[in-house]
Structure formats: structure tokens, C-alpha cells
Amino acid sequence: MTKGRTIVLTTHFMDEADLLGHTIGIMAKGRMKCAGSSLFLKNRLGVGYTLSVATTGAAQNGAIINAMREYVPHLEILSDGAGELSLRLPMNAVPVFPQLLAHLEDHGRDMQIRGHGISVTTLEEVFLKIGHDDDEDQVIAEDDNNTDEREMATVAMDHAPRKLVFTDEVAHATPTALGQYKTLFAKRFHYAKRDTRTIVMQVVLPVVCITFAMLLTLIEFTNQPPVAFDDHGAYDGPMNIPYANCPTNWGASMPNTPVMVNATRAEQLSTYLIDTQKSHGVDHRLSAHVCADATMRPVNPATGTPLAPASTSVVVFSNNSRYPHAGPLALLDFQGTWTRFHSSNSVRVSFSSHPLPLSDYEKAFMDAIVTVFVAIFVLIPFTFIPSTFVSFIVKERETHALQLQQASGLRYVVYWCSNFSFDIISFVITALLSIMIFAIFGRDEYV
């Protein structure tokens, strides 16, 4: 669970450090005095073992102490009270512990001993010892101000500088600019790897948006295909078809609902259609026609003069405001009715409507719309990428992590160079992924 992860805890409660810490460092007067595992510090800096003896009221503590001195001559009495005796045994007395404990087991009842136990030095004692030694060094340094040169030499001989205690990996570590750079780069990498927001904003979002933008370019605005109709109900529901000035029984040839209008001119039928546009019921009304209108005579294309008065025109109306194919259907209604009127009512007439092709202006307009959407989906994700770079720097300042690193000896230039190089590499990765997507879709103008 702890592989590849580091958690730094600071505490004055040594039992907590002993329980939670794999590597423990102790500082005094702002300097690191020792660092290593709990067992390493206890072995190197420990003051020994503590032997606790529980006695009865009739026990002679002096006799017990003398018996212990036979095995450990340099033991130290920590406490000598009624019912309890604590002795400190030096570290070099470990080989005689089996004989000492065997003596307590064999003669404990004779010496009125109820129980005994032995424990190793605690980290609390190591901490206090380091603090006490540092205080002694401070006192010696203060006293040096009042001694002459000869006395100072004596003090230096009597009080040799105490060696700092570190494990091999700490003792041989040399803080170089390259080492700091590698450490900061690895720290930034692991931070970004665990930050889901950074991964989404910096990699996933640009890739998804650019892919979607490229899919938009695949949409082709081609000419609409032809649509086939017949005159027996192109739209759902009955059709209401007004007609005027047509032969007798003309309405019987209509497949839809005929409405005969008393009019002889197209102008009159147009007025009727406008007046009844909201009162023709629920039936659809998409066309109307006048079979003969003498006032609307065709013109001779050569001379531009109207033809003979005997000539008449057929006028067809279509409602293309709500029905997209009303124009062709209006002609179909008239042509189909005319065909059935002159032949048989069983005739069905169909037609195909071919929409006009897109003009150059329409094509350019459609391409411009697609280009705008592509630009939006390409630019939006790249606007979020700088925020992922800035957020890490801001967070380090907010949590005072940068201040702590600088106080520990971090070079200011190394800090910014490592972050800058990581940001450049991260952006290059995103740019390469984007270029690959552009290349896959054949958009050479972006590559």
C-alpha cells in the first residue's frame, strides 16, 4: 500500500512517530540531528534497556540491585520506590541478559519479587537525549566567550563535536541541482498522474473535442434526392381542393375533397382563398386551380403581344408556406384531374420532385458554418490547458509547500526549470495527439 508513496508527518509525540514512521528524523535547533528507522535510532542513540522489577513490601531493593550488579556492573538506578524498582541497563550488556533473567526466575521468590520485565529504549528517550546533548553544546558555546585561548582548547578536547547519526541512504545523499531537478520532475509527474482533473482537461477533453470537430467535417450538404408522389394523398388526411370555372363533373374526377367556387377569374379565386384561409375545416388545403381564365391570356414570346381573346389560361395556386412540396403537388392535382376527366377515374398519376441543386452561395454558407463550429471545438479545450499548469504552482504557494522546499535548500531556478520543462512536455503530448487526429481525418491545413 505504501509502495511508491511518501507521507511526511511532523509530531512531538514520539510514540506516534514510532508507530507510524518508517524513516524517522529528529531535529534540534533547526538542524537535522539523526534519521533512520526506529530500530536504527534506538540501537545507535539509545541509552540502553529498562529493567522493571515489581516487589513485595518485605523486599530489600538494595539486595536486588547488588544481585543485578553481578551481571551488569554499570547499571543505573532510575527509580527505587516501594513495590517497584527500575534499572537502566547499557546496550553492551545484552549478552548477559539471558543469565540475568534466569537468575530472576530462579531466585525471584527468595528476593520477594512479584514480577519483572525488560523493555528497549523508547524514541521519547532518544529525543530527550538528543535535545539534552544539544543544550550541552549550547552551554559550552556560551561559556567559551568567557575563557581564554588555552581554556577553549581544553573545552574542545573535553567536548568533542558530536557526530550526526544517519542511515546510509541519508548520509551519502548529496543535494545537487540535477538531483533536485529529477526529484521535482518526478514529484510533478506523480501529482499529475493522480490528478483526474488534470488528465481530463489536458488530454481527454482536447482529444474528444477535436475528434468531434473532425466528425463535423464529414457532414456533406449535398443536393436533396428526388421525392416521388401520387395524387391519392401525398399528406396524411383528406385534402381540400377548391376549383372554379371548370367543366361539369370536374369535381368527380378529383381523388380528394373538391370544393367548387363560383368564380370565373383567378383573382376571384385568390380572394376566396384568402377569406377562407382559417375556415376550411381540418382538411389540408395546399392547392387550388381555375380551369379557364380569359383575362390572363398567354403572351406571344416572339412579339410580346397577347394571343387571341379566345385563348384562356389555367391558373394553379399552391400553399408552400406550410407544405414543402405544395408547388409540384398543385400541378399534380390539376394534371391528374384533367387526365381522369378525359379518360377514366381509375387512373393514378404520380410524379417525382427534383429539388434544385445548392448554389455556390449556399455551399459557401454551409461550409462557413461548419468551419465556425470546428474552430470552436478545437479552441475551447486548449483554453483549459494553461489552467492545469497554473493550478499546481498556485496550490504549492497556498499550502506553503514551496516555502518549505526553499527553506530546505531548494534552488529557485531549479524549481521553475523543472515545472517549465514538465509543462512543455505535457503540452507537446497533447499537441502530438491533436496532430495525429488531424492527420487521420486528412486535414492537412491543421498539420
Side-chain angles (χ1 to χ4, degrees):
M1 181 177 180
T2 58
K3 184 179 180 181
R5 293 171 173 82
T6 301
I7 300 176
V8 180
L9 301 177
T10 58
T11 180
H12 284 81
F13 186 37
M14 291 297 103
D15 291 341
E16 181 182 26
D18 194 3
L19 180 64
L20 300 178
H22 293 169
T23 301
I24 302 170
I26 299 178
M27 298 181 65
K29 298 295 188 296
R31 294 184 60 194
M32 182 70 71
K33 296 295 184 179
C34 61
S37 64
S38 175
L39 183 60
F40 172 82
L41 296 179
K42 291 175 182 178
N43 289 335
R44 296 295 300 273
L45 298 172
V47 292
Y49 291 82
T50 301
L51 176 64
S52 300
V53 180
T55 61
T56 62
Q60 297 293 328
N61 290 349
I64 297 175
I65 294 173
N66 292 331
M68 297 298 101
R69 288 189 187 276
E70 295 180 2
Y71 297 95
V72 184
H74 301 290
L75 62 81
E76 179 184 350
I77 302 173
L78 297 179
S79 63
D80 183 4
E84 184 178 0
L85 177 64
S86 295
L87 305 175
R88 175 169 293 166
L89 310 179
M91 300 292 293
N92 55 11
V94 173
V96 300
F97 281 1
Q99 295 86 349
L100 185 147
L101 296 177
H103 181 84
L104 291 176
E105 291 288 343
D106 296 337
H107 303 89
R109 180 171 298 180
D110 297 336
M111 292 186 293
Q112 304 296 322
I113 296 176
R114 293 187 293 110
H116 63 277
I118 191 169
S119 60
V120 72
T121 304
T122 63
L123 275 182
E124 184 71 25
E125 294 172 334
V126 174
F127 178 76
L128 293 176
K129 179 182 179 182
I130 291 177
H132 177 71
D133 293 345
D134 193 79
D135 290 339
E136 286 185 352
D137 293 341
Q138 184 70 19
V139 171
I140 293 172
E142 291 176 355
D143 292 343
D144 288 346
N145 297 328
N146 301 321
T147 58
D148 56 18
E149 185 176 354
R150 185 179 57 184
E151 292 175 343
M152 291 176 63
T154 304
V155 169
M157 293 176 61
D158 294 341
H159 302 276
R162 295 176 173 83
K163 295 182 179 180
L164 303 181
V165 181
F166 299 98
T167 57
D168 290 340
E169 59 179 348
V170 178
H172 295 89
T174 55
T176 61
L178 181 60
Q180 292 181 350
Y181 178 87
K182 292 180 179 179
T183 303
L184 289 175
F185 195 90
K187 170 191 172 183
R188 184 70 184 276
F189 171 75
H190 290 297
Y191 179 87
K193 182 179 63 176
R194 297 166 185 163
D195 189 1
T196 304
R197 183 185 65 85
T198 299
I199 296 175
V200 171
M201 293 295 182
Q202 193 166 320
V203 179
V204 178
L205 184 62
V207 170
V208 171
C209 289
I210 292 176
T211 303
F212 183 76
M214 292 299 99
L215 292 176
L216 288 178
T217 61
L218 300 180
I219 299 177
E220 297 182 0
F221 297 94
T222 58
N223 299 327
Q224 298 296 324
V227 181
F229 292 100
D230 62 24
D231 59 351
H232 281 70
Y235 293 92
D236 295 335
M239 297 292 179
N240 184 312
I241 304 178
Y243 68 94
N245 202 19
C246 293
T248 306
N249 297 328
W250 178 267
S253 301
M254 291 185 178
N256 300 297
T257 304
V259 178
M260 187 179 67
V261 179
N262 187 16
T264 58
R265 294 181 296 126
E267 183 181 356
Q268 296 172 340
L269 180 58
S270 175
T271 303
Y272 169 81
L273 295 175
I274 294 173
D275 294 339
T276 61
Q277 60 177 334
K278 295 183 180 179
S279 60
H280 58 81
V282 296
D283 295 348
H284 298 285
R285 188 169 77 180
L286 55 88
S287 68
H289 52 263
V290 179
C291 295
D293 187 351
T295 62
M296 300 185 65
R297 293 177 295 173
V299 178
N300 188 341
T303 61
T305 57
L307 297 178
S311 300
T312 57
S313 299
V314 176
V315 180
V316 177
F317 296 89
S318 63
N319 180 12
N320 56 4
S321 61
R322 295 180 56 189
Y323 305 91
H325 303 284
L329 282 174
L331 294 176
L332 177 64
D333 290 335
F334 175 78
Q335 295 291 345
T337 303
W338 186 89
T339 302
R340 283 185 292 273
F341 181 77
H342 291 283
S343 59
S344 172
N345 287 337
S346 61
V347 175
R348 294 177 65 96
V349 181
S350 62
F351 82 103
S352 295
S353 176
H354 292 263
L356 295 174
L358 295 176
S359 63
D360 294 339
Y361 174 79
E362 292 174 331
K363 292 180 180 179
F365 181 75
M366 296 297 180
D367 292 339
I369 293 177
V370 173
T371 303
V372 169
F373 278 100
V374 169
I376 291 174
F377 281 103
V378 170
L379 292 177
I380 285 179
F382 283 94
T383 59
F384 291 100
I385 292 180
S387 65
T388 62
F389 302 152
V390 176
S391 62
F392 177 79
I393 306 298
V394 173
K395 188 172 183 179
E396 285 227 317
R397 286 184 174 273
E398 181 183 1
T399 58
H400 302 289
L402 177 59
Q403 181 181 3
L404 179 61
Q405 294 173 72
Q406 290 176 340
S408 302
L410 174 63
R411 294 176 174 86
Y412 201 71
V413 175
V414 174
Y415 175 81
W416 285 109
C417 288
S418 63
N419 283 285
F420 178 76
S421 58
F422 182 85
D423 294 341
I424 288 295
I425 293 175
S426 301
F427 183 78
V428 168
I429 293 175
T430 305
L432 289 177
L433 291 174
S434 303
I435 292 174
M436 289 175 57
I437 296 174
F438 290 139
I440 291 173
F441 284 89
R443 301 306 297 249
D444 298 334
E445 66 272 19
Y446 295 104
V447 178

